[in-house]
Amino acid sequence: MEKSLVLIKPDAIQRGLVGTIITRLEKVGLKLVAIKMLHIDKALAQCHYAIHKDKFFFNSLVNYITSAPIIAIIFEGKKAVEVIRKMMGATDPAKAEAGTIRGDFGLDIEHNIIHGSDSTETATEEIKLFFLEDEIFSY
Ligand code: IDP
Ligand code: MG
């Protein structure tokens, strides 16, 4: 079954939105197979966002994602990657549709509440960054 990595970002934790976000994703039938709270360090942030290392917002993004704890989750389900991206909405909350997580809760293009893997290949790589094999459950 397809897996995707979700990060509930620092702004969502600080605003008490964790339960709301997990509920939305569970309600569409996605299965939670791994979860942890952690404070991402600079090295992990730089690795996770390596694709953006030459962008003007890279340093700011690394500072943001390391500014407070996050929740990392692996969700499993049919077309999990695509379903989660659709439920997240566009990167910029101002452009994200109402009813999407970013559209409903995001504050600006950086502080946009949630990360979700953008392809199955990326998901496999990202899952390895955040979870050990024995932290992922099947049930
Ligand atoms: P995504 O999260 O929708 O896949 P990406 O383009 O991969 O969007 O960007 C990764 C993250 O970097 C975004 O979720 C957001 O937090 C931040 N980001 C993207 N574009 C900008 C920008 O123009 N300014 C500041 N931060 C940005
Ligand atoms: Mg992306």
Side-chain angles (χ1 to χ4, degrees):
M1 193 58 89
E2 191 169 301
K3 289 183 174 69
S4 183
L5 180 82
V6 165
L7 302 179
I8 302 179
K9 295 181 174 181
D11 49 329
I13 306 273
Q14 286 164 322
R15 290 168 57 203
L17 294 170
V18 173
T20 303
I21 293 165
I22 293 176
T23 299
R24 281 192 181 204
L25 295 169
E26 283 185 322
K27 275 191 173 164
V28 299
L30 291 161
K31 188 171 172 182
L32 203 159
V33 295
I35 185 165
K36 66 171 72 162
M37 187 170 194
L38 71 155
H39 200 130
I40 298 184
D41 63 19
K42 291 254 182 258
L44 178 57
Q46 285 166 350
C47 203
H48 175 69
Y49 282 125
I51 195 167
H52 297 303
K53 67 179 184 327
D54 298 325
K55 305 263 172 65
F56 72 91
F57 58 80
F58 184 68
N59 285 338
S60 175
L61 175 58
V62 168
N63 286 336
Y64 157 54
I65 208 73
T66 59
S67 64
I70 59 110
I71 306 279
I73 303 174
I74 303 173
F75 275 111
E76 190 179 86
K78 210 169 164 186
K79 298 201 172 187
V81 167
E82 190 184 324
V83 169
I84 292 167
R85 291 291 297 193
K86 200 168 157 199
M87 292 185 69
M88 284 162 51
T91 305
D92 184 353
K95 296 186 181 135
E97 289 190 31
T100 64
I101 293 166
R102 286 167 167 173
D104 290 350
F105 306 116
L107 295 179
D108 59 60
I109 194 164
E110 182 171 84
H111 304 90
N112 62 0
I113 302 287
I114 183 169
H115 166 86
S117 307
D118 64 5
S119 71
T120 52
E121 294 75 23
T122 317
T124 303
E125 292 308 310
E126 291 180 348
I127 284 169
K128 277 191 222 147
L129 275 183
F130 285 86
F131 291 94
L132 300 168
E133 275 294 329
D134 67 2
E135 294 173 328
I136 307 170
F137 294 84
S138 57
Y139 61 95

